[in-house]
Amino acid sequence: MLARRTRVTVFLIVLTLVVATALSARAEGRVCASEPDLAAAKKAVAAVAREFGSRLKLVSLLAPEDVLRRDIEEHFVDLVTPELLNKWLDDPTAAPGRLTSSPWPECIAVDEVKLDGTTRAWVRGHIVWVTSVELAEGGAYAH
């Protein structure tokens, strides 16, 4: 369980980087000042975090290294900085993804998004883990 918590903590740090990158790209270098702009930016950040979460299950950390590298690039390239992507490609064991066949990370439930007024954002949320039972009956195995 400790290893899983460590991986989740590392994942949340990485997610902060991912969201900051997405916000920067969406902000196109301008500072959002009005309430509608802030609301739109928060919505965009939350959408990126949820998209990232939905792709976690597509990257099997137990796959052969060449397959793992291919999956990391395919599923995360448009959501992370080139530097972070290269770090994961150099050391695929540092990448987030699916560790076991069951349960697996189904999505990220976003609880809160905070913006610092520039191109950075912080997301508070949790990974929703499911098994085939939850897929059939609804709910979550763990949060």
Side-chain angles (χ1 to χ4, degrees):
M1 189 64 165
L2 181 58
R4 182 173 165 194
R5 282 190 181 145
T6 301
R7 184 165 289 279
V8 169
T9 301
V10 169
F11 168 74
L12 292 176
I13 292 167
V14 167
L15 182 59
T16 300
L17 295 172
V18 170
V19 171
T21 300
L23 183 60
S24 177
R26 294 190 195 272
E28 297 175 352
R30 68 181 177 89
V31 175
C32 298
S34 70
E35 287 298 318
D37 284 346
L38 289 174
K42 285 183 176 184
K43 188 175 181 179
V45 167
V48 170
R50 284 192 296 274
E51 180 63 27
F52 188 82
S54 74
R55 294 184 192 185
L56 291 172
K57 64 184 165 230
L58 303 174
V59 178
S60 174
L61 301 176
L62 301 176
E65 200 167 296
D66 61 324
V67 174
L68 178 54
R69 281 192 172 96
R70 183 196 69 217
D71 288 348
I72 290 168
E73 188 159 18
E74 178 182 340
H75 298 295
F76 296 149
V77 68
D78 60 332
L79 297 174
V80 300
T81 64
E83 296 81 14
L84 183 56
L85 183 66
N86 287 331
K87 178 181 177 186
W88 289 342
L89 293 173
D90 289 342
D91 180 12
T93 63
R98 183 178 182 154
L99 254 166
T100 61
S101 61
S102 185
W104 62 86
E106 181 64 19
C107 62
I108 293 175
V110 176
D111 298 321
E112 180 181 19
V113 176
K114 290 184 178 183
L115 306 175
D116 74 356
T118 60
T119 59
R120 291 193 148 184
W122 288 263
V123 175
R124 185 174 56 83
H126 54 276
I127 299 171
V128 177
W129 299 85
V130 298
T131 66
S132 55
V133 172
E134 288 78 30
L135 281 183
E137 298 176 6
Y141 173 79
H143 290 264

